[in-house]
């Protein structure tokens, strides 16, 4: 009985000693979690108005883990748990993981830069890392493109952030560069007027800037005409295809020849 009384007294003593600290730690944990959730919601509301949803979700997750870890360490210290060694172990583990994942960390940093500075966005057509395609997703480590022939290309973000990149869909209009060759025996002015009338009749061709039709080069077997109309970006390829087909048909109707490389062979017979 004496031993039981001693244990009870010791238990009461421990409760009296640590109960205030434990109660304060519980209150701190509850209030801290409430404040963290409020802070994260406030931050999410601000970020969603200015940045990509992918970046908002990532910042929310990262901030949530960091703040809650700090809160738990603080609460542990309040109840007398030694956290110095624990923090040192976490720091060493973080350093080791960082060294092992240098490539992924580079992709991660590049992903953040892409999401913040927006050199391209989902839905844009880009030419980067040797591929041309429509941006389907911008993730933290990679960007996913869909090529015109419907192939899925997954590109590390560092390849896009650290190398030249063309955002084909960034501007509302594009210039369509085409070259049509006519023979040296054809009338240049007639050919230019035919192309001009075709461009004027096509509603997709913009009036301003005005199309350019000019002699580009006196080539080996043809006079090359440069044709440079401006169109809405969405109409680029369809106009390009239509013009090549329609110019060929009109030239055939008007008797204008589109030459192709050929060689004349002259045979000389020696007389005895």
């Amino acid at each position: 009985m004496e031993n039981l009384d001693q244990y009870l007294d010791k238990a009461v003593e421990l409760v009296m000693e640590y109960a205030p600290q434990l109660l304060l730690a519980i209150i701190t944990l509850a209030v801290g979690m409430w404040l963290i959730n409020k802070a994260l919601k406030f931050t999410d509301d601000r970020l969603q108005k200015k940045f990509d949803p992918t970046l908002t979700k990532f910042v929310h997750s990262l901030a949530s883990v960091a703040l809650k870890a700090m809160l738990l360490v603080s609460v542990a210290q309040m109840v007398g748990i030694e956290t110095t060694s624990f923090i040192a172990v976490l720091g060493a583990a973080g350093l080791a993981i960082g060294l092992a994942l240098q490539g992924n960390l580079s992709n991660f940093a590049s992903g953040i830069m892409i999401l913040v500075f927006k050199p391209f966005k989902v839905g844009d057509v880009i030419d980067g890392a040797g591929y041309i395609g429509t941006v389907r997703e911008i993730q933290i480590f990679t960007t996913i493109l869909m090529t015109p022939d419907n192939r899925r290309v997954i590109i590390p973000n560092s390849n896009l952030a650290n190398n030249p990149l063309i955002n084909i869909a960034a501007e509302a209009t594009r210039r369509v560069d085409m070259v049509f060759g006519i023979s040296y025996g054809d009338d240049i002015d007639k050919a230019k007027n035919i192309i001009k009338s075709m461009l004027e009749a096509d509603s997709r061709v913009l009036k301003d800037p005005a199309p350019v039709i000019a002699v580009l080069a006196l080539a080996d077997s043809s006079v090359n005409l440069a044709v440079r109309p401006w169109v809405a970006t969405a109409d680029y390829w369809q106009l390009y295809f239509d013009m090549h087909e329609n110019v060929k048909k009109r030239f055939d109707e008007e008797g204008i020849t589109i030459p192709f490389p050929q060689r004349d062979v002259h045979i000389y017979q020696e007389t005895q």
Side-chain angles (χ1 to χ4, degrees), residues 51 73 97 100 125 139 151 185 207 248:
F51 299 108
V73 170
I97 293 172
V125 179
Q139 300 179 349
R151 292 179 297 163
K207 306 301 181 184
K248 173 64 169 67

Side-chain angles (χ1 to χ4, degrees), residues 240-251:
Y240 182 90
F241 296 141
D242 290 346
M243 280 297 296
H244 280 79
E245 178 179 346
N246 294 334
V247 165
K248 173 64 169 67
K249 292 178 178 178
R250 280 293 302 276
F251 278 7

Side-chain angles (χ1 to χ4, degrees), residues 89-161:
V89 170
L90 285 180
L95 178 61
I97 293 172
L99 292 174
L101 301 176
Q102 287 183 10
N104 286 331
L105 290 176
S106 175
N107 291 326
F108 163 75
S110 298
I112 294 297
M113 292 183 63
I114 291 172
L115 291 170
V116 171
F117 295 106
K118 295 184 177 180
F120 57 85
K121 62 182 184 298
V122 173
D124 284 352
V125 179
I126 65 171
D127 180 355
Y131 296 94
I132 298 177
T134 303
V135 179
R136 176 64 60 84
E137 295 180 37
I138 304 174
Q139 300 179 349
I140 294 301
F141 296 105
T142 60
T143 293
I144 299 176
L145 301 185
M146 295 301 297
T147 63
D149 56 348
N150 208 35
R151 292 179 297 163
R152 180 188 294 264
V153 182
I154 301 174
I155 304 175
N157 285 331
S158 59
N159 289 7
L160 297 175

Side-chain angles (χ1 to χ4, degrees), residues 172-176 199-212 228-233 235 239:
T173 60
R174 286 186 66 188
R175 192 182 72 182
V176 185
L199 294 176
E200 290 175 346
D202 197 316
S203 60
R204 295 169 297 184
V205 177
L206 302 179
K207 306 301 181 184
D208 184 23
V212 172
R228 305 286 189 263
W230 286 82
V231 298
T233 300
D235 293 331
L239 181 84

